[in-house]
Amino acid sequence: MKRTLTHLADGRELFYFDRYDDADRGAVDERELPPRPAPSELRYDPLTEEWIAIAGHRQSRTFLPPADRCPLCPSAPGRLSEIPASSYDVVVFENRFPSFSTPPGTHDDPGGHAGAGVIGGTRPGLGRCEVVCFTSDHDSSFSSLSPAQVELVMEAWIDRTAELSAIPGVEQVFCFENRGAEIGITLAHPHGQIYAYPYVTPRTKLTLRAAERHRERTGGNLFADVLAAEREAGVRVVAANEHWTAFVPAAARWPFEVHVYPHRRVADLSGLDRAERAAFGPLYTGVLRRLDGLFGVPMPYVAAWHQAPVNVGRDLSYAHLELFSIRRAPDKLKYLAGSEAAMGAFVNDVPPEEAARLLRTAITD
């Protein structure tokens, strides 16, 4: 793999990840761009003990442009995009409309916040947000990527996880993909994102607390024990190979939800060995094709890599991917209504065992 760093017209970093060393990455971004926005503001909610990012500049971000104006396609004469090159394998660049950003030379105390009290407090939304372009083919999808292309995407995730984790104040790195208009995407080109948070996210805090209590009770790792139990039960397993198992969790919140675990516990993606990285793509793209084949239409989904935080809980964590879709039938979506949205109390209309059976038998061509 060859990695090449360049810069866009407004100073943002862009990385090319290429299979071959002879790729020419000398193209220059010739656009005239406005200055980069100031960091968002983080506001502390004392009722939930969570940080909320207020990022008004994101209101102006690009929204579902036509294919011939896609900012993630390679640049061409008369059509300049976020990627200056005329072709690419995998590209990662700083988001033009980030939820979190750290201007050069900025230093912040991640633990302090101003004005703490009943109303909470505030601090700059430092961190970083990046876009990952999985392929230059606008009409493709992750499920269509070759095993070699998936490995290249994984190398990009691993590279960026390591670099973003080293930024002062970053507490957690999150690689994810939103797919489908029903999910709320703003760009149709096959891509994902990486968030470098200046705090540990609420979901991760919850699972790490549960993992710590489980270790105190049993001496085992909660994630490893869940994986072992699902593999032994078998009824919710969707697919498996020598290094990975994909299963519908017993307490799935979403109509179709699949968790993908490596058989060997690692804290983050960088811990995967070469064989594990190679084995991921064929299994995962097969799961995605099952989802698309379930109702004969492209399945909207969120795919989320859960990795260990940078500074806490690494001995408790188990890197894995959680994938879920809001589609519950060919013409029906699950909306987060009163119980889920207001109270966080989920009700799932599709029994997990039935979801797993349907996915095992779904058409994958």
Side-chain angles (χ1 to χ4, degrees), residues 236-299:
R236 287 177 295 274
V237 171
V238 175
N241 61 25
E242 181 182 358
H243 297 287
W244 297 83
T245 292
F247 62 89
V248 178
R253 288 167 167 76
W254 303 94
F256 293 94
E257 178 176 344
V258 180
H259 295 188
V260 184
Y261 274 69
H263 295 165
R264 184 175 64 90
R265 187 177 77 86
V266 296
D268 54 38
L269 290 170
S270 65
L272 297 173
D273 63 28
R274 181 58 57 188
E276 290 163 336
R277 298 179 194 185
F280 171 75
L283 180 131
Y284 179 57
T285 55
V287 169
L288 295 180
R289 288 192 294 273
R290 290 177 186 279
L291 283 165
D292 285 347
L294 194 59
F295 301 125
V297 295
M299 186 73 88

Side-chain angles (χ1 to χ4, degrees), residues 101-111 123-128 162-172 196-199 310-311:
S101 60
T102 302
T106 300
H107 299 282
D108 180 59
D109 174 10
R123 53 184 281 211
L126 303 183
R128 183 143 152 162
E163 287 208 356
L164 296 176
S165 296
I167 295 176
V170 167
E171 294 294 327
Q172 186 172 356
Y197 297 100
Y199 53 79
V310 175
N311 296 307

